Coordinates of all heavy atoms in Angstrom, one line a residue:
Chain A
L316 N -4.5 13.7 12.0 CA -3.4 14.6 11.4 C -3.8 16.0 11.5 O -3.0 16.9 11.8 CB -3.2 14.2 9.9 CG -2.4 12.9 9.8 CD1 -2.4 12.4 8.3 CD2 -1.0 13.0 10.3
L317 N -5.1 16.3 11.3 CA -5.6 17.7 11.4 C -5.4 18.2 12.8 O -5.0 19.3 13.1 CB -7.0 17.8 11.0 CG -7.3 17.7 9.4 CD1 -8.8 17.6 9.1 CD2 -6.6 18.8 8.7
N318 N -5.7 17.3 13.8 CA -5.5 17.7 15.2 C -4.0 17.9 15.5 O -3.7 18.6 16.5 CB -6.1 16.6 16.1 CG -7.6 16.6 16.1 OD1 -8.2 17.7 15.8 ND2 -8.3 15.5 16.5
L319 N -3.2 17.2 14.8 CA -1.7 17.4 15.0 C -1.2 18.6 14.4 O 0.0 18.9 14.4 CB -1.0 16.2 14.4 CG -1.0 14.8 15.2 CD1 -0.4 13.7 14.5 CD2 -0.3 15.0 16.6
G320 N -2.1 19.4 13.7 CA -1.7 20.7 13.2 C -1.3 20.7 11.7 O -0.8 21.7 11.2
M321 N -1.6 19.6 11.0 CA -1.3 19.5 9.5 C -2.5 20.1 8.8 O -3.3 19.4 8.2 CB -1.2 18.1 9.1 CG -0.3 17.2 9.9 SD 1.4 17.7 9.6 CE 2.2 16.5 10.6
D322 N -2.6 21.5 8.8 CA -3.8 22.1 8.3 C -3.9 22.2 6.8 O -4.9 22.4 6.2 CB -4.1 23.5 8.9 CG -2.8 24.0 9.6 OD1 -1.7 23.5 9.4 OD2 -2.9 25.1 10.3
N323 N -2.8 21.9 6.1 CA -2.9 21.9 4.6 C -3.2 20.5 4.0 O -3.1 20.3 2.8 CB -1.7 22.5 4.0 CG -0.4 22.0 4.6 OD1 -0.4 21.1 5.4 ND2 0.7 22.6 4.2
L324 N -3.5 19.6 4.9 CA -4.0 18.3 4.5 C -5.4 18.4 3.9 O -6.3 18.8 4.5 CB -4.0 17.3 5.6 CG -4.5 15.9 5.3 CD1 -3.6 15.1 4.4 CD2 -4.7 15.1 6.6
K325 N -5.5 17.9 2.6 CA -6.8 18.0 2.0 C -7.6 16.7 2.1 O -8.8 16.7 2.5 CB -6.7 18.3 0.5 CG -6.9 19.8 0.2 CD -6.7 20.2 -1.2 CE -8.0 20.1 -2.0 NZ -7.7 20.5 -3.4
S326 N -7.0 15.6 1.9 CA -7.7 14.3 2.1 C -6.6 13.2 2.2 O -5.5 13.3 1.7 CB -8.6 14.0 0.9 OG -7.9 13.5 -0.2
I327 N -7.0 12.1 2.8 CA -6.2 11.0 2.9 C -7.0 9.7 2.9 O -8.1 9.7 3.5 CB -5.3 11.0 4.2 CG1 -4.3 9.8 4.3 CG2 -6.1 11.1 5.5 CD1 -3.2 10.0 5.3
R328 N -6.6 8.8 2.1 CA -7.4 7.5 2.0 C -6.4 6.4 2.2 O -5.3 6.4 1.7 CB -8.1 7.4 0.6 CG -9.3 8.2 0.5 CD -9.9 8.2 -0.8 NE -10.7 7.0 -1.1 CZ -12.0 6.8 -0.7 NH1 -12.6 7.7 0.0 NH2 -12.6 5.7 -1.0
Q329 N -6.9 5.3 2.9 CA -6.0 4.3 3.3 C -6.3 3.0 2.4 O -7.5 2.8 2.0 CB -6.2 3.9 4.7 CG -5.1 2.9 5.2 CD -5.0 2.7 6.7 OE1 -5.6 3.5 7.4 NE2 -4.2 1.8 7.1
G330 N -5.3 2.3 2.1 CA -5.5 1.0 1.3 C -4.5 0.0 1.8 O -3.9 0.1 2.9
K331 N -4.4 -1.1 1.1 CA -3.5 -2.2 1.4 C -2.4 -2.3 0.4 O -2.5 -1.9 -0.7 CB -4.3 -3.5 1.5 CG -5.2 -3.7 2.7 CD -5.9 -5.0 2.6 CE -7.1 -4.9 1.6 NZ -7.9 -6.2 1.5
F332 N -1.3 -2.8 0.9 CA -0.1 -2.9 0.0 C 0.5 -4.3 0.2 O 0.6 -4.8 1.3 CB 0.9 -1.9 0.5 CG 2.2 -1.9 -0.3 CD1 2.3 -1.4 -1.6 CD2 3.3 -2.6 0.2 CE1 3.5 -1.5 -2.3 CE2 4.5 -2.6 -0.4 CZ 4.6 -2.1 -1.7
F333 N 0.8 -5.0 -0.9 CA 1.4 -6.3 -0.9 C 2.6 -6.3 -1.7 O 2.7 -5.7 -2.8 CB 0.4 -7.3 -1.4 CG -0.9 -7.5 -0.7 CD1 -2.0 -6.8 -1.1 CD2 -1.0 -8.3 0.4 CE1 -3.2 -6.9 -0.4 CE2 -2.1 -8.4 1.1 CZ -3.3 -7.8 0.7
E334 N 3.7 -7.0 -1.2 CA 4.9 -7.2 -1.9 C 4.9 -8.7 -2.2 O 5.0 -9.5 -1.2 CB 6.1 -6.8 -1.0 CG 7.2 -6.1 -1.8 CD 8.2 -5.6 -0.9 OE1 9.1 -6.5 -0.4 OE2 8.2 -4.4 -0.5
I335 N 4.9 -9.1 -3.4 CA 4.7 -10.5 -3.8 C 5.9 -11.0 -4.6 O 6.3 -10.3 -5.6 CB 3.5 -10.7 -4.6 CG1 2.2 -10.2 -3.8 CG2 3.3 -12.2 -5.0 CD1 0.9 -10.3 -4.6
E336 N 6.5 -12.1 -4.1 CA 7.6 -12.7 -4.9 C 7.1 -14.0 -5.5 O 6.6 -14.8 -4.8 CB 8.8 -12.9 -4.0 CG 10.1 -13.0 -4.8 CD 11.3 -13.2 -3.9 OE1 11.2 -12.9 -2.7 OE2 12.4 -13.7 -4.4
I337 N 7.3 -14.1 -6.8 CA 6.8 -15.3 -7.5 C 7.8 -16.0 -8.3 O 8.7 -15.3 -8.9 CB 5.5 -14.8 -8.3 CG1 4.7 -16.0 -8.8 CG2 6.0 -13.9 -9.5 CD1 3.4 -15.6 -9.4

Side-chain angles (χ1 to χ4, degrees):
Chain A
L316 285 171
L317 289 173
N318 287 338
L319 283 172
M321 311 286 184
D322 18 11
N323 45 8
L324 175 66
K325 262 177 92 178
S326 81
I327 181 165
R328 284 176 76 82
Q329 187 165 356
K331 285 177 284 182
F332 177 81
F333 297 96
E334 218 175 80
I335 303 176
E336 205 178 337
I337 192 168

